[in-house]
Amino acid sequence: MKKARILVQGIVQGVGFRPNVYRLARARDLNGYVRNLGNVVEIVVEGSDDNIKRFTTDIETKKTPISKIDSVKIEWLDDDGPLKFSGFQILESSSNFSGSSVIPPDVATCDSCLGEVMKSGDRRYRYPFTACTDCGPRFTVISSIPYDRERTSMDAFPLCPDCMGEYQDPEDRRYHAEATCCPVCGPEVFLYREEKISVDNPIKEAAKLLDEGNVLAMKGIGGTHLVVNTLDDLPIINLRNKLGRMNQPFACMSPDIPTIRSFAEVANYEEKILLSNNRPIVILKKNKDYYLSPHVAPELHNLGIMLPYSALHHLLFTYTDSPAYIMTSANMPGEPMLTQNQEIISKLEGVADYYLLHNREIINRCDDSVLRFRGGDLAFIRRSRGYVPEPYDFSNINTDLNVLALGPEIDVTFSLLKEGKCYVSQHIGDTTKYETFLYLQEAIEYMMGITRTDNVDIVTCDLHPQFFTTKLAHELGERFQCPVLKVQHHHAHAAALSLDWGVEELICIAADGVGYGDDGSAWGGEILYSNRTEYERMASLMPQNMPGGDLTTRFPARMMMAMLYPYYDEDELLELMRTDYLDYFPHGLKEVDIVANQLERNFNLTGTTSTGRVLDALAAILHVCGERTYEGECAMKLESAAYSGEDSFDLPIKIVQKNGMDVLDTSRILSSVLEKKLEGEKIEDLACSAQRAVSEGLAELAIRTARKKDVNNIGGSGGVFYNEAISMTIKNVVENAGFRFLQHKNSCAGDGSVSMGQAVVAALYYNKNRNKS
């Protein structure tokens, strides 16, 4: 008889991995044990040589649905003596280990559990917290590792005899399912308004209240949603007024795919991700029969939809005929999502009419993930619930360095690199808000705790000296007595994209709203050569002036006026602003004159090469959007206008030299659009052609650079690459020129993956300097 020790790494905790190993070992007639060591699962087996080898193969080929295996290492033991074990056992987890542990993300309710919830007579009939080893909360309920019930918020709910029987039965799918419970022993849901409302079925009553037009705050798995019916205008307008979000699109939840198809287009690849156990919000195009309220996603051709991911959601839809409910994060603008009952009630007073709450603690808030497809290519807009904290593989970059990367400032995540795994946090948000900045620090401490990270070798952050994350980086550098490395924003974008594809060098089209450049100006339309460790700025959009600085990001007519200034007589330009665009200047004629004076005197102007500002100016000049009330609004509305238009015009794509660098003349594009608009051409067609001109110009800059550098890979990163038309145009131009085009596929095109890119740069920087010494 042979003996072997097998170590398995990956997402193998809390996913039914150990009971599955138990069943596989018994099927192969092996003795021994399996136990959780926190960072790995240890298996010791004895039996025939052939059975052990087949068992080792089974571990990978017959794994449980939500487990993910990174490595299986087998060590043959010398002991060939008599059997030491009688049968096969599952031992208690050991807390005596070193190294990090991979915690699984939250997983949508599985079909087996949902079947029980919907089956009359089942002991979990209509129970909203039903879960097993194949589904339910993980990341949002765990306080420390190893992942066992006593270290989760479920510890407050001792198991009843029936649940304990399942929990202790290795043949049951609820064996060591840490979130398992039932109506007898588990959490309870209740309806609240000033006090608890006594009703037999709180979920049914909540659905009734929603269908009557009320706003409901509903506490879920990783946070709280504000819920409203999507068929009536007034409740949505009411919610918008209460939140001060008059235009921002709301995400929705719909009960099933056929219902979604009744108002939105669903491609096969979109259906697949909607139905996945990650259950993200997916951005879908409205179809020709769209019948939800126009106030759900105003002036946009698309909207965000998700399917139910908890039994609570499924039950809510059993009591309504509504095709969808708005499900938007319950927080005040810029602040973290609310998770604690008293906080939910107090902070949403005057916003929510009723509260559907429960008494299970949410240890880690985790917003819904959001993604969209561009011509079939997936891109994360927000990588959070259902995916976090699953790490990225950095084993080819560095396996012995601890890096803490803090990201940018607004759309923040942080990343922790340890032992070749990079843990990118859930969505944190806008760290200029005090509560969110505190949340960032709390989330860092938590992530370091569950990965057992005691020290940090490098802290890395954005190049911008005034970011709160930059200041925090220096504080953490002092705490850990380690260096702080500042990484230029778009360099981090390029590094994240290169990791996504496993390439060492590329030409990156970095197109977004803003990133602090190494010359102190606002970049955002850059062509970079990057080999991950270093970068070189090779080309850009034409530098433009922003009169009043950040005011132009809110009022794009200022940007439009500045971009037109070199091409128009000043009196002619002033007359145009006064007659056609005066309502886009909140202070009217006086403000127009002030902006003109700033441009004439070269006073209070900030330089920028931002693609976002160019798209804003195009949206303003076409009367598509005159004020940005949420991030990306002008560009999103321009995309929607262009979606219904035709590419009818050949707008000038002129590349010139400025300061020894190729630049795309975006003022020429804008002035040509204005000329055709004044001739009476269709707005939608002009929007379509304008987007194409900017896209082709960026692509041509990148192609010229790729030829200079003899690089075959051209990639696109930054928030502009969520625009499907721009992404696909650039891709087609690049590929038609014979180059390979790369887009983010497992990471965020926007700022959500900047922290991961910072970690890439820091790790390689460390490697390079270590090799020198």
Side-chain angles (χ1 to χ4, degrees), residues 109-131 173-174 183 201 203-204 255-256 279 308-320:
T109 304
C110 68
D111 290 342
S112 296
C113 283
L114 189 57
E116 294 170 339
V117 171
M118 299 301 177
K119 183 181 178 182
S120 178
D122 191 282
R123 72 187 192 90
R124 291 187 172 87
Y125 179 53
R126 293 183 177 174
Y127 185 57
F129 301 97
T130 300
R173 81 173 198 279
R174 290 194 169 90
N201 190 330
I203 302 172
K204 182 178 181 179
D256 51 49
R279 293 291 164 98
Y309 55 85
S310 73
L312 176 61
H313 298 141
H314 285 283
L315 287 167
L316 186 68
F317 279 104
T318 63
Y319 301 116
T320 182

Side-chain angles (χ1 to χ4, degrees), residues 191-197 209 214 352-355:
L191 200 60
Y192 186 95
R193 185 179 186 177
E194 297 181 355
E195 60 182 11
K196 275 190 179 182
I197 300 173
L209 291 167
N214 290 285
D353 299 311
Y354 292 87
Y355 304 83

Side-chain angles (χ1 to χ4, degrees), residues 645-660:
E646 294 184 5
D647 186 5
S648 306
F649 307 103
D650 288 325
L651 302 176
I653 301 169
K654 185 178 179 181
I655 294 174
V656 298
Q657 280 277 310
K658 191 172 182 66
N659 299 325

Side-chain angles (χ1 to χ4, degrees), residues 160-172:
C160 67
D162 286 339
C163 286
M164 183 61 79
E166 296 168 338
Y167 186 84
Q168 294 178 334
D169 181 2
E171 298 290 350
D172 195 285

Side-chain angles (χ1 to χ4, degrees), residues 128-129 157 187-191 218-224 312 339-341 344 355-362:
F129 301 97
F157 305 96
E188 64 175 9
V189 65
F190 58 92
L191 200 60
M218 186 170 80
K219 183 180 176 182
I221 300 295
T224 306
L312 176 61
T339 59
Q340 299 176 7
N341 289 351
I344 294 166
Y355 304 83
L356 187 65
L357 306 174
H358 60 75
N359 60 339
R360 180 172 67 194
E361 180 186 3
I362 297 172

